[in-house]
Amino acid sequence: MLTRIILATAVALSCGTARAEYLLGSLAFNTSLNPSSGTLKEAITLFNLKSTDGRTGFLSGLPEDTAWGSFQLNAPSAENQTISINDPGFGDFTGTVVTDTGEYTLGTGFSAALKRDVTVEGLWAPGNNPYFGGDSGGRLAALTIALTRNRPPYPYTGNTAISAALTLQTFGNAAVPEPSTVVLSVTAAAVAAGSFIRRNRRSAATPAAT
């Protein structure tokens, strides 16, 4: 029984030493593009970002058409590129491109489309928009960018329009057990429990003095 109590206490004390992310809110954006047609294998500037009605969590009450800034994606891949989007109202985001699929084909035949998916991870600090209530603290954030170009008619020559969908997700931190800490705490508790049991056994085996 004592061993169980010590082990349970060790696990409880070890909790809260690590951090896990949980979603605070998300917000979708429309954007203008330059160039607005052509291949997805060249650098593309995204500008005139405006929020849509696709919003959740603490961002769900933000007015539609809230403006953001602009940025450029390198080509043919933007992996490891630093992205900065700044706006005094909506706030500042700085992150690094962690994945960029480059241009790939989705579908076959006349329904085929060219796609490019990009994920940027970094920090977002809310701006002076009254909706944020003066909260300017940095938050973990991820920006996903989905670029699409419909293929031109066979033999696939010429340019067609490019479209883009952006989503910003913001995260908070929650305390969770750190696996390595749990292992160390449980090991130490087990050693202490074993030592206690051995002492009790030796005491029981020693004849009482008369």
Side-chain angles (χ1 to χ4, degrees), residues 74-199:
N74 292 339
S77 174
E79 283 195 1
N80 299 318
Q81 177 187 349
T82 298
I83 300 291
S84 293
I85 311 174
N86 307 108
D87 182 83
F90 185 75
D92 300 331
F93 171 81
T94 300
T96 301
V97 176
V98 293
T99 59
D100 185 345
T101 63
E103 185 181 81
Y104 67 94
T105 302
L106 181 66
T108 58
F110 292 106
S111 62
L114 299 174
K115 303 278 291 182
R116 181 182 173 189
D117 301 318
V118 180
T119 301
V120 190
E121 294 181 351
L123 291 174
W124 169 64
N128 58 20
N129 188 309
Y131 177 81
F132 301 127
D135 178 9
S136 59
R139 290 183 171 87
L140 296 174
L143 179 67
T144 57
I145 307 155
L147 298 166
T148 303
R149 179 171 82 96
N150 292 328
R151 269 192 156 180
Y154 183 83
Y156 306 135
T157 58
N159 293 333
T160 55
I162 300 172
S163 61
L166 292 83
T167 302
L168 177 72
Q169 294 180 308
T170 64
F171 301 89
N173 286 327
V176 296
E178 174 72 40
S180 59
T181 305
V182 171
V183 171
L184 290 174
S185 299
V186 169
T187 301
V191 171
S195 177
F196 179 84
I197 292 171
R198 285 193 297 272
R199 286 199 303 271

Side-chain angles (χ1 to χ4, degrees), residues 29-52:
F29 289 88
N30 289 325
T31 182
S32 299
L33 302 170
N34 184 27
S36 59
S37 64
T39 176
L40 302 180
K41 297 179 181 179
E42 60 185 352
I44 299 175
T45 298
L46 296 88
F47 63 98
N48 195 28
L49 275 67
K50 289 189 176 181
S51 64
T52 71

